[in-house]
Amino acid sequence: MEIFLQQLINGITLGSIYGLIAIGYTMVFGIIGMVNFAHGDVFMVSAFIAMIFFLLFTTVLGISSVIVALILVMLIAMFLTGLLNWAIERVAYRPLRGSFRLAPLISAIGMSIVLSNFIQVAQGPRNKPLPPVLSGTITLMERNNFAATISYKQILIWVVTAVLLAGFWYVVQKTPLGRAQRACEQDRKMAALLGVNVDRTISLTFVMGAALAAVAGTLYLTYYGVVNFSDGFTPGVKAFTAAVLGGIGSLPGAVLGGLLIGLIETFWSGYFSIDYKDVAAFSILAIVLIFMPQGLLGRPEVEKV
């Protein structure tokens, strides 16, 4: 029971990070029907931004409060990463919006390579460590010399994920920007005829997705304490898998898919072989899509005749 509880805690934590990244995928795909394969590397860049500013605040400026430093780092990472994704949308995606369907996909893959190689050149190929942050734990259950614990870092990740999911759901469902996003998702041409600024709406969607990726990058850095230039690929693929599993275009579906992927990985690693955890996750994705092609919470696509 103690091992089960510990793996459950670890799976929810990992899944929360996947879910935050997956929301960016599902928002962009829902509006313009494009898979932004550079999103995983935007997440990786945000982790490096968070590391640089955290070290700057704690060592150079002498901010002693870890909570204050983390809040400042998260806000700065959200702003800079949102600005980066806005520039990527303007330069790499908007000129190709009316082109054939593969053109934006190729451009996204190119941007992914550019970001990864830029960080590799600028920061080096080695792992970049961060001093331990929020190192305390709470013991939930202990038996046979094994303790099931939850750390303050895990609690932070759970709370931030829940708050951001609720906040972004409110933005999409209850605000003028959300109505514009849903209108663009249904029919961009009709939305433009009705006065919706489609270009502005799409740009803000990219900024919102990048802001969530920045939060995920900061939490990822806080949780693991290390970041590498190649850390954008695997979490990015897992997050995209989570978005597809939960139902592409659905915000709660993206988080649900992320939690499921995280739980599958951790339970498979704990009870079977860690070498095949990715095989297990993608196998369950394939099984779900066979019986539910739209994903768990996705809406079936209606073809207009």
Side-chain angles (χ1 to χ4, degrees):
M1 187 62 188
E2 297 79 15
I3 297 176
F4 175 85
L5 180 60
Q6 188 65 64
Q7 296 294 4
L8 179 66
I9 293 169
N10 295 339
I12 294 174
T13 304
L14 180 61
S16 298
I17 296 175
Y18 287 158
L20 288 175
I21 309 172
I23 292 175
Y25 279 110
T26 200
M27 290 178 71
V28 170
F29 186 88
I31 287 185
I32 62 177
M34 187 200 83
V35 179
N36 181 16
F37 276 115
H39 192 65
D41 291 279
V42 170
F43 154 80
M44 176 269 298
V45 170
S46 73
F48 272 95
I49 292 174
M51 179 194 68
I52 291 169
F53 277 95
F54 185 84
L55 293 176
L56 176 66
F57 288 149
T58 55
T59 60
V60 178
L61 299 181
I63 297 178
S64 57
S65 174
V66 174
I67 299 298
V68 172
L70 279 177
I71 293 174
L72 292 175
V73 163
M74 200 171 291
L75 292 175
I76 293 173
M78 291 172 71
F79 173 76
L80 293 179
T81 310
L83 189 63
L84 171 65
N85 221 26
W86 175 83
I88 290 174
E89 190 274 332
R90 290 295 298 267
V91 173
Y93 301 151
R94 185 178 296 186
L96 301 175
R97 201 176 295 161
S99 182
F100 65 102
R101 292 181 64 88
L102 284 179
L105 178 63
I106 295 170
S107 181
I109 295 173
M111 284 306 308
S112 172
I113 296 172
V114 167
L115 292 175
S116 178
N117 286 353
F118 171 75
I119 294 298
Q120 182 182 10
V121 172
Q123 295 294 325
R126 296 183 178 179
N127 292 337
K128 299 295 182 181
L130 188 74
V133 180
L134 297 176
S135 56
T137 60
I138 300 172
T139 301
L140 301 178
M141 185 182 296
E142 186 172 2
R143 188 184 302 170
N144 298 328
N145 296 323
F146 182 86
T149 63
I150 182 171
S151 66
Y152 295 131
K153 292 183 287 189
Q154 291 173 320
I155 295 174
L156 174 67
I157 292 172
W158 291 12
V159 171
V160 170
T161 301
V163 170
L164 286 178
L165 176 61
F168 273 74
W169 179 88
Y170 178 83
V171 168
V172 171
Q173 297 294 327
K174 303 294 184 181
T175 65
L177 173 60
R179 286 193 292 271
Q181 289 174 323
R182 286 182 280 123
C184 292
E185 179 182 0
Q186 293 178 9
D187 193 325
R188 274 185 285 161
K189 290 183 179 179
M190 183 57 68
L193 290 174
L194 294 175
V196 175
N197 190 331
V198 174
D199 288 339
R200 175 177 173 271
T201 302
I202 293 174
S203 293
L204 287 176
T205 302
F206 271 84
V207 170
M208 291 168 65
L212 285 173
V215 174
T218 305
L219 295 177
Y220 178 90
L221 178 68
T222 304
Y223 187 57
Y224 290 104
V226 67
V227 65
N228 186 278
F229 78 96
S230 62
D231 282 345
F233 178 75
T234 301
V237 171
K238 299 284 182 63
F240 175 67
T241 304
V244 175
L245 178 62
I248 199 83
S250 169
L251 264 65
V255 177
L256 176 61
L259 291 174
L260 288 176
I261 295 294
L263 289 170
I264 292 167
E265 284 190 17
T266 53
F267 277 115
W268 191 273
S269 301
Y271 289 101
F272 300 101
S273 171
I274 193 173
D275 296 328
Y276 295 100
K277 62 184 178 67
D278 294 339
V279 175
F282 285 104
S283 298
I284 290 178
L285 169 68
I287 293 170
V288 170
L289 292 182
I290 288 172
F291 296 100
M292 302 177 67
Q294 74 276 11
L296 296 174
L297 300 182
R299 293 170 296 189
E301 213 171 300
V302 179
E303 293 289 340
K304 297 179 182 178
V305 181

